[in-house]
Amino acid sequence: MRLLSPAAPPGYPPFPQEAAISVRSVKHARTMSIYRQSPIPKHTEDAFEDMRRWLSTLDSSNHIPLIIDSGCGTGRSTRIIAENNPCLAVVGVDRSVHRLQRRFGPSRQPKTLPDNAILLRAELAGFWRLLLDRGLAARVQKHYLLYPNPYPKSTQASRRWAAHPVFPLLLQLGGSIEVRSNWFAYLLEVQAAMRALSSAHSVPVHVQQAARRRLPCRFSAIQLESEAECLTQFEVKYHAAGHGLYSLNTS
């Protein structure tokens, strides 16, 4: 008997596309070496180097652990995470200049970041590749993917992170991963992709091992009492609309 996921929010399909997502993730793992030869946008390379210079000002020994807030939007989550983790370097990354310029959302929010945080404009896939290729993957202690675009139409499934060519590389970064969404099916697809990569004999051994290290995934419902507890502007929006909010956490 199949366990059904919680009801989907309006406009979202009710069931995950686990099988299709799993097939794509395995295919991408098999052709990963070709994908890694694709060019990385210059602004992403520049942002990565900005981060490295900033890190050297925090810790000249270059050992300070990192928290990556991928798709940070206005940076509200980056600020909160940094305030809660003052001994770690928190890196917020988003591809949108417009979102980053809004700086934390509503005008009543503080407009400055803690000293242990930085906001960068970069393409996430390229930025994750640079973390691996330039020796910073092991310093990642935690990686947040908070309310990524779910691309809910079935024709858009290939644009979800679990079906993206970079997904096998994402799993090879250090630390734990937390994904939040108001669409539980999205989290089930992430788990399905990890399971597929952990057991497919056709993928490189190091990809298998990275996926196995992430399992089992832990799911939970996010209970919020007020807007002040929300990490992102999307979490504020979905909480106000009464949507269910869910998280997936990996090892």
Side-chain angles (χ1 to χ4, degrees):
M1 181 180 70
R2 177 181 174 81
L3 293 176
L4 301 182
S5 62
Y12 291 65
F15 301 109
Q17 295 178 269
E18 292 165 287
I21 295 291
S22 297
V23 169
R24 284 184 179 275
S25 66
V26 170
K27 176 184 175 183
H28 291 319
R30 291 200 301 263
T31 59
M32 188 171 53
S33 60
I34 298 173
Y35 171 66
R36 294 188 77 165
Q37 296 173 22
S38 62
I40 293 174
K42 184 179 185 303
H43 75 276
T44 297
E45 296 251 14
D46 292 344
F48 187 85
E49 291 307 312
D50 287 344
M51 178 196 69
R52 294 185 72 165
R53 286 189 289 270
W54 170 74
L55 287 173
S56 68
T57 67
L58 290 183
D59 175 23
S60 58
S61 66
N62 283 323
H63 291 133
I64 188 170
L66 310 179
I67 296 178
I68 308 297
D69 183 15
S70 288
C72 66
T74 65
R76 172 183 172 128
S77 52
T78 305
R79 174 179 59 80
I80 295 172
I81 293 167
E83 289 172 347
N84 292 335
N85 297 274
C87 295
L88 304 181
V90 182
V91 181
V93 187
D94 202 273
R95 68 180 180 181
S96 169
V97 173
H98 174 69
R99 285 193 290 267
L100 290 170
Q101 287 177 340
R102 288 175 57 198
R103 190 54 74 93
F104 313 139
S107 58
R108 65 178 179 275
Q109 298 292 339
K111 294 299 180 183
T112 58
L113 278 172
D115 291 340
N116 64 318
I118 189 172
L119 296 177
L120 302 171
R121 176 183 172 249
E123 294 293 331
L124 291 180
F127 193 83
W128 298 342
R129 285 169 57 191
L130 291 170
L131 286 169
L132 273 173
D133 295 345
R134 300 189 182 176
L136 292 184
R139 288 174 60 181
V140 178
Q141 186 172 106
K142 177 128 188 186
H143 197 158
Y144 286 94
L145 284 164
L146 302 174
Y147 304 92
N149 190 333
Y151 295 104
K153 295 180 181 178
S154 59
T155 56
Q156 299 174 318
S158 63
R159 303 180 70 180
R160 300 171 198 159
W161 283 127
H164 193 283
V166 80
F167 189 74
L169 300 177
L170 167 63
L171 300 184
Q172 295 173 56
L173 298 178
S176 60
I177 299 173
E178 179 172 349
V179 188
R180 292 191 183 187
S181 181
N182 65 324
W183 185 31
F184 191 73
Y186 187 92
L187 304 184
L188 292 177
E189 291 176 353
V190 172
Q191 175 183 249
M194 291 183 189
R195 285 177 170 174
L197 292 171
S198 73
S199 59
H201 297 298
S202 59
V203 306
V205 173
H206 66 282
V207 175
Q208 275 190 343
Q209 292 172 340
R212 288 172 182 168
R213 180 170 59 88
R214 300 291 181 186
L215 296 170
C217 297
R218 302 178 302 280
F219 296 95
S220 61
I222 300 169
Q223 304 294 332
L224 300 170
E225 297 298 327
S226 67
E227 177 182 323
E229 296 179 359
C230 296
L231 274 181
T232 75
Q233 293 303 122
F234 279 115
E235 198 160 72
V236 170
K237 174 183 174 181
Y238 298 145
H239 173 63
H243 292 186
L245 304 175
Y246 311 101
S247 71
L248 172 152
N249 281 272
T250 77
S251 301

